[in-house]
Amino acid sequence: MREAHPREQTVGVEWYVSDADGVGGRLRERPADFRVRELEAFDTHAVDAGADDYPYLVLRATLTGWDTNDFAGRLSDAMEISRERVDWAGTKDKYAVTTQLFSVYDVDPEAVPEIRDAEIEIVGRAGRHLSYGDLAGNAFEIAVREPDHPETADEITEQLRAFAGDNEELRSSSNRKPSGSGDADGGRIGVPNVFGHQRFGSRRPVTHEVGLAIVRREWREAVLAYVGNPYQSEPADTREARAVVDEQAASDDPDWGTCLDVMPRKLGYERSMLHRLQERGAGTGDADPGADDEPDDPWRHALEAVPSNLQRLFVNAVQSYAFNRILSERLERGLPFHEPVTGDVCCFADTEIDAVRKPDPDRLQRVDENRVDVLARHCERGRAFVTAPLIGTETEFADGEPGEIEREVFDDLGLEPALFDLPENFESTGTRRAVLVDTEMTVASDPLTFEFALPSGSYATTVLREYLKTEPTDL
C-alpha cells in the first residue's frame, strides 16, 4: 500500500492498495475519451401502450458534455413541465459521452424535443419512474492521454489482481497477454469500493460537511457550508461571493440581497437558497434544532430549495464519508477485502443480473466461525461479498474486529442510527455496501485505454485512481 493523495484523505480515503507508481497522464482531454454506457435493467412496454397504465415515457439519451441534472432541467424546460417529472437511474460524468435512460411522467412522444449535443431515442413506456439503482451497472471505455509511465500499468494490474484474491494457478492458466502488448485482457482486478472524490464535490468536497450538519439538525450550518465556505480551488468570483455570504451570516443583520448581487448566476442552487433566506429574513428568530416549529426554520426552508435528489445526496455523502473511513481502517489493520473474517457481514450476489457481479444488500449473512470457510468460497466464486454499513436508522453493526472498526469510526464522527430519523427527503434507513469491487479489465495502448464494467453505485474513478495516482480533481 501507499498513502493516498492528500485531497482524497479529506474524504476518508487514506490508501492506494497498489504500490507501483501511477501511469500519470490526462483524462477527458475531449469528451469522447471518457465513454459511459448504462447496462440497462429496466423493463419497458411498447410506446403505444396505454398511457393510463404506463404513464412514464422512457428515453435513451446519448449526451456529450452534459451534467445529468442540467440535462434533466433542460429537457423539462423544453417540454414545459416540472423538473420533478424527470427521473433517471444514475448520475453520469459531465465531461464524457454518456448513454443512459430517463423517464418522463405524463408526456406524449411528440413532445420529445431536440437538444444540442444530445441524441434522444424513445424506448417505450413504463408503469413507474426510474429510480436510483434501476440499472445493472455501467460499461466504461476510458483513454489516458500522454501518460508519463504507461509501462507501470502491467505492475498495477498484477497488484490489483492479487488484491482481488486472484491466485497464481488461475493467472497461469489464463494465457493472458501483458497489457503493454496492445489490446490485452488484464484479467479480473479488485479495488476498495470507496466513494470517489466527485461524490463530495470534485472542486469543493463539502457535501459530507453539509450532511453532517443536517444529521445534527443544524440547518444554519448546513446552508452556510454549501453557500459560503469558499475553497481555493474555485474560480476567484465564486470564492469572493462565498466570502461575502460568510461575512453577512456573521453580522447581526444579514443582507442576503448583497449576497445575491455577487453570487455568480452559474451557481443556481446557491442562489435559490439565498432567495429563500431573503424571503424569510433569515438571521433572527430562527428555530432551534429539534424545536416544534423547526419546519418553519428559514434555514431549513432554504436548504429545501434544491431538488429532492440533491437533498438526499447531502445525507448520502455523510454515509459515504464514514464508509470510506471504515475501509481505510480495514486496510490499515490488514483485514482482507475479497474474503470475510469472523464477525463480518456478507451479502449475496443479485442472481438476476448477468452483466456484472452486482451485490444484493437485501440478502445478508452474518459470518461466525462456523461459516467463514463457506462464505469465503462464495466470495471466491463471485456469489457473495464482504460488506460495511452505510449508516441509517436500521443499521446493525458487524461483530468482532469488523464491528469494532465500524463503531470506532461512527463514535469519532458522533453518528448513531437514530440520528438519521430525519424529516422528509433527508431521512435514511441505511444499507450495507460491498467493500470490494472487481471487474474484468482490458488494457490497450496507443492511446492507453481501459475497458471495464462496474455494478451500479461503483465509480470508474475508484479503479482509475489506482492506475493514474494523480490529483483527484483530474480524474
Side-chain angles (χ1 to χ4, degrees):
M1 294 194 309
R2 62 193 291 173
E3 284 194 0
H5 191 282
R7 283 186 184 270
E8 292 187 312
Q9 294 179 29
T10 67
V11 296
V13 180
E14 300 286 344
W15 305 101
Y16 297 109
V17 297
S18 55
D19 289 317
D21 290 340
V23 301
R26 300 192 309 276
L27 295 177
R28 301 183 179 89
E29 188 171 276
R30 57 189 73 109
D33 286 347
F34 202 106
R35 294 182 177 273
V36 187
R37 175 178 53 83
E38 280 188 350
L39 302 174
E40 298 168 4
F42 187 71
D43 293 332
T44 60
H45 299 268
V47 71
D48 58 358
D52 290 340
D53 293 328
Y54 305 105
Y56 294 91
L57 189 68
V58 180
L59 312 175
R60 181 182 296 115
T62 297
L63 311 176
T64 300
W66 272 102
D67 172 85
T68 308
N69 274 287
D70 290 344
F71 176 76
R74 178 68 186 89
L75 181 65
S76 61
D77 287 346
M79 301 177 86
E80 298 182 345
I81 61 173
S82 166
R83 155 67 183 73
E84 295 293 328
R85 287 164 61 179
V86 181
D87 293 281
W88 57 92
T91 302
K92 302 293 185 286
D93 295 91
K94 177 177 181 178
Y95 301 105
V97 176
T98 64
T99 301
Q100 65 183 117
L101 295 181
F102 290 86
S103 64
V104 188
Y105 178 70
D106 192 25
V107 295
D108 295 324
E110 294 76 17
V112 175
E114 291 186 2
I115 296 176
R116 65 167 180 82
D117 298 325
E119 298 177 13
I120 304 174
E121 172 190 356
I122 298 172
V123 177
R125 288 193 171 275
R128 65 176 181 87
H129 63 76
L130 281 158
S131 297
Y132 179 75
D134 268 336
L135 69 162
N138 295 285
F140 300 91
E141 181 180 343
I142 300 169
V144 179
R145 300 292 175 177
E146 298 184 9
D148 302 310
H149 304 287
E151 70 280 358
T152 64
D154 284 346
E155 186 177 359
I156 294 169
T157 298
E158 287 299 319
Q159 291 170 357
L160 297 183
R161 283 181 191 163
F163 187 75
D166 196 7
N167 57 59
E168 184 64 35
E169 181 180 350
L170 179 61
R171 289 199 297 273
S172 62
S173 65
S174 65
N175 295 318
R176 298 175 185 133
K177 297 179 290 183
S179 58
S181 63
D183 291 346
D185 175 10
R188 182 163 289 275
I189 65 166
V191 298
N193 195 21
V194 295
F195 289 92
H197 202 262
Q198 69 271 36
R199 177 73 163 196
F200 308 93
S202 294
R203 287 186 176 273
R204 182 172 167 262
V206 299
T207 55
H208 62 301
E209 296 176 16
V210 179
L212 279 168
I214 290 171
V215 169
R216 297 164 183 155
R217 294 177 183 259
E218 297 170 349
W219 305 109
R220 179 180 188 275
E221 287 73 12
V223 171
L224 293 179
Y226 190 78
V227 182
N229 191 18
Y231 263 60
Q232 192 60 37
S233 55
E234 296 182 290
D237 61 338
T238 300
R239 294 199 308 271
E240 292 165 5
R242 295 193 193 282
V244 171
V245 171
D246 287 344
E247 289 170 7
Q248 290 297 324
S251 70
D252 293 334
D253 186 19
D255 184 348
W256 303 117
T258 296
C259 299
L260 280 165
D261 288 342
V262 299
M263 186 63 66
R265 294 196 174 276
K266 63 187 177 184
L267 300 179
Y269 296 148
E270 284 88 341
R271 291 182 61 83
S272 294
M273 290 189 192
L274 289 171
H275 275 296
R276 289 198 174 189
L277 292 178
Q278 185 180 41
E279 290 168 3
R280 293 286 184 93
T284 58
D286 302 346
D288 294 325
D292 291 340
D293 57 349
E294 187 181 285
D296 296 324
D297 186 329
W299 296 94
R300 176 178 159 189
H301 178 65
L303 197 65
E304 292 174 335
V306 302
S308 56
N309 66 309
L310 184 53
Q311 294 175 38
R312 289 189 290 270
L313 179 63
F314 291 142
V315 175
N316 294 159
V318 178
Q319 299 165 317
S320 304
Y321 175 64
F323 181 87
N324 283 354
R325 288 189 51 177
I326 289 169
L327 267 57
S328 292
E329 181 63 21
R330 188 177 180 109
L331 280 170
E332 190 160 357
R333 294 194 187 198
L335 298 185
F337 279 52
H338 66 283
E339 62 184 6
V341 299
T342 299
D344 266 320
V345 178
C346 286
C347 73
F348 293 100
D350 187 334
T351 56
E352 296 182 1
I353 301 295
D354 295 324
V356 287
R357 292 182 177 179
K358 184 174 182 178
D360 182 355
D362 292 329
R363 301 170 59 219
L364 299 175
Q365 176 69 67
R366 288 187 173 269
V367 183
D368 59 30
E369 59 184 11
N370 297 318
R371 293 175 173 153
V372 171
D373 292 341
V374 171
L375 284 162
R377 287 194 293 273
H378 281 308
C379 289
E380 182 181 5
R381 295 167 183 169
R383 299 173 183 170
F385 307 85
V386 180
T387 69
L390 293 170
I391 187 172
T393 56
E394 297 180 3
T395 293
E396 295 182 1
F397 300 129
D399 300 314
E401 190 171 6
E404 177 184 302
I405 292 172
E406 294 170 8
R407 289 177 174 84
E408 285 182 1
V409 169
F410 294 137
D411 287 348
D412 185 59
L413 294 174
L415 296 178
E416 58 183 60
L419 291 176
F420 290 80
D421 185 11
L422 291 159
E424 300 180 24
N425 291 312
F426 300 113
E427 187 268 345
S428 179
T429 57
T431 186
R432 294 190 76 90
R433 172 181 171 92
V435 301
L436 177 80
V437 59
D438 63 349
T439 179
E440 293 289 340
M441 171 63 76
T442 299
V443 184
S445 59
D446 195 25
L448 181 62
T449 303
F450 300 94
E451 293 186 41
F452 55 96
L454 299 176
S456 58
S458 293
Y459 291 85
T461 51
T462 299
V463 175
L464 294 174
R465 63 180 291 273
E466 292 282 349
Y467 280 96
L468 272 69
K469 294 187 175 71
T470 189
E471 165 70 51
T473 56
D474 293 337
L475 291 175

